[in-house]
Amino acid sequence: MIKYSINKTGQLILIFLGITFLSFCLTYLAPSDPAEIQLNKTGVAPTEELLEKTREEMGLNRPFPVQYADWLKGILSGDMGTSLRNGKPVLDELRKALPVTLILTFFSMLVVTVLSVPLGIVCARFQDSFLDRTVRFITYLLASLPSFFLALLFLYLFSVKLRWFPVIASKNGSKGYIMPVLVLALSLSSWYIRQVRVVVLDELAKGYVAGERSRGVPEWQILFRHVLKNCMLPLLTLLGISFAGMLGGTTIVENIFSLQGLGKMAMDAISARDYPVIQAYVVWLALIFLAINFLIDLSYGWIDPRVRAGQEREA
């Protein structure tokens, strides 16, 4: 496992370097001039001489490989540059937005797991029952509603009509996270419940389940000790991908509820053509997805000995 982990880490480093190179290439080839953007933000008329001087100060006149090497060196040392929009260090902007996204992600995934896994198992166990049909109808209904519509519906019902929560979530402390978390959790759960149901149904159709039933093993023990354990690999993959995606920011929900998370930060940076912030956001996304995928791969070997044996052969 140690050798496999070392080989996997080397592959991830190469992928990360490739992502950073492509990210820097795209911003380098963008038609907008960072020097002109910075001057326009300060209210200074960008004459040609002033533009040339600003480009020199920002290091934009240097060759592309030198610029990329300096930028990558700064990223690895924790210096992500300065925002063109407000002149603040990009790392400070990330630190400010990250806690909001972490809170949304953690509690949303917690609610999703608590709702989806038990309901998916129960629906699979009582396939085509009234409960199964009702839950499937609700999940299809929720899945058909875009997250922005669900967020606006929550705002109208619970903020405007019932006045339980403020319209601007960021002004109400921890209570302001309840509606965004519910919107995200309901949107994801509508998909996860059906996925869990399908995976469990596939597992229940296997021969070992019939064998355990014929030996008189209790149904709850079959479901939660054997079936659920064998369903862990696909479920873990789904949860990991969703967790990584949400750590990149839940743009629509954050904007509707006025939460200053990573998604809103990225949208503001794109609107303002704030290239240092955009580059840092791409790097953050790359790190999160690579790290989550690496941890999921390692967990496969811990959960299933057959996978661990395959990983050791690959190493």
Side-chain angles (χ1 to χ4, degrees):
M1 282 296 292
I2 295 176
K3 190 175 180 181
Y4 173 81
S5 300
I6 293 173
N7 291 339
K8 192 72 176 178
T9 302
Q11 295 173 14
L12 294 179
I13 290 173
L14 291 177
I15 295 172
F16 175 73
L17 291 175
I19 292 172
T20 60
F21 181 77
L22 289 175
S23 169
F24 192 83
C25 277
L26 290 175
T27 54
Y28 181 82
L29 297 173
S32 301
D33 186 353
E36 185 176 355
I37 294 172
Q38 189 174 44
L39 290 173
N40 287 332
K41 293 297 179 183
T42 59
V44 179
T47 62
E48 192 59 38
E49 293 79 9
L50 190 55
L51 280 172
E52 192 63 30
K53 182 181 178 182
T54 306
R55 291 191 191 104
E56 188 70 30
E57 292 173 352
M58 298 175 68
L60 301 176
N61 291 336
R62 295 175 299 169
F64 171 79
V66 176
Q67 291 188 44
Y68 171 69
D70 286 348
W71 174 75
L72 183 61
K73 182 180 177 182
I75 290 289
L76 296 177
S77 62
D79 180 12
M80 296 184 171
T82 304
S83 171
L84 300 178
R85 184 162 41 103
N86 53 28
K88 297 180 181 179
V90 174
L91 189 59
D92 290 347
E93 295 288 296
L94 282 175
R95 286 173 177 167
K96 183 181 176 182
L98 183 57
V100 175
T101 300
L102 282 176
I103 292 171
L104 278 178
T105 300
F106 177 78
F107 286 103
S108 297
M109 293 307 299
L110 181 64
V111 175
V112 167
T113 306
V114 170
L115 280 178
S116 303
V117 176
L119 276 176
I121 293 174
V122 170
C123 288
R125 172 62 183 84
F126 301 101
Q127 184 183 9
D128 293 329
S129 64
F130 175 76
L131 174 64
D132 180 32
R133 294 176 186 274
T134 303
V135 171
R136 277 192 290 163
F137 172 77
I138 294 173
T139 57
Y140 284 125
L141 179 64
L142 289 174
S144 66
L145 298 175
S147 58
F148 73 86
F149 178 81
L150 198 60
L152 293 174
L153 183 63
F154 269 52
L155 279 176
Y156 178 74
L157 288 176
F158 299 114
S159 295
V160 177
K161 288 295 183 181
L162 299 176
R163 299 183 183 277
W164 289 356
F165 304 100
V167 175
I168 301 177
S170 58
K171 291 185 177 181
N172 202 28
S174 58
K175 190 178 179 182
Y177 287 96
I178 295 177
M179 283 200 297
V181 166
L182 287 177
V183 169
L184 291 171
L186 289 175
S187 298
L188 279 176
S189 295
S190 64
W191 181 64
Y192 268 91
I193 291 171
R194 287 178 283 131
Q195 292 298 315
V196 172
R197 179 182 178 275
V198 169
V199 172
V200 174
L201 278 176
D202 182 62
E203 201 66 30
L204 286 173
K206 293 183 178 179
Y208 78 89
V209 175
E212 289 183 338
R213 284 171 175 165
S214 66
R215 292 196 298 272
V217 179
E219 194 69 21
W220 69 266
Q221 189 172 336
I222 296 174
L223 282 172
F224 291 97
R225 183 173 292 182
H226 301 285
V227 172
L228 183 58
K229 183 178 179 181
N230 291 329
C231 294
M232 283 299 293
L233 294 186
L235 295 181
L236 192 61
T237 303
L238 292 173
L239 289 171
I241 292 173
S242 297
F243 187 76
M246 290 180 69
L247 279 177
T250 50
T251 307
I252 295 175
V253 172
E254 288 176 7
N255 274 276
I256 290 177
F257 289 100
S258 301
L259 291 170
Q260 304 299 317
L262 289 173
K264 191 172 189 309
M265 181 199 74
M267 284 300 297
D268 292 343
I270 292 170
S271 301
R273 295 177 296 175
D274 194 346
Y275 295 126
V277 176
I278 297 171
Q279 288 173 331
Y281 179 72
V282 172
V283 170
W284 165 256
L285 280 181
L287 284 173
I288 286 298
F289 272 97
L290 292 175
I292 295 293
N293 283 324
F294 179 63
L295 292 175
I296 290 174
D297 282 348
L298 292 183
S299 66
Y300 284 172
W302 178 71
I303 294 172
D304 193 335
R306 296 169 298 177
V307 177
R308 182 166 61 249
Q311 291 174 344
E312 290 173 352
R313 285 195 299 269
E314 287 181 19

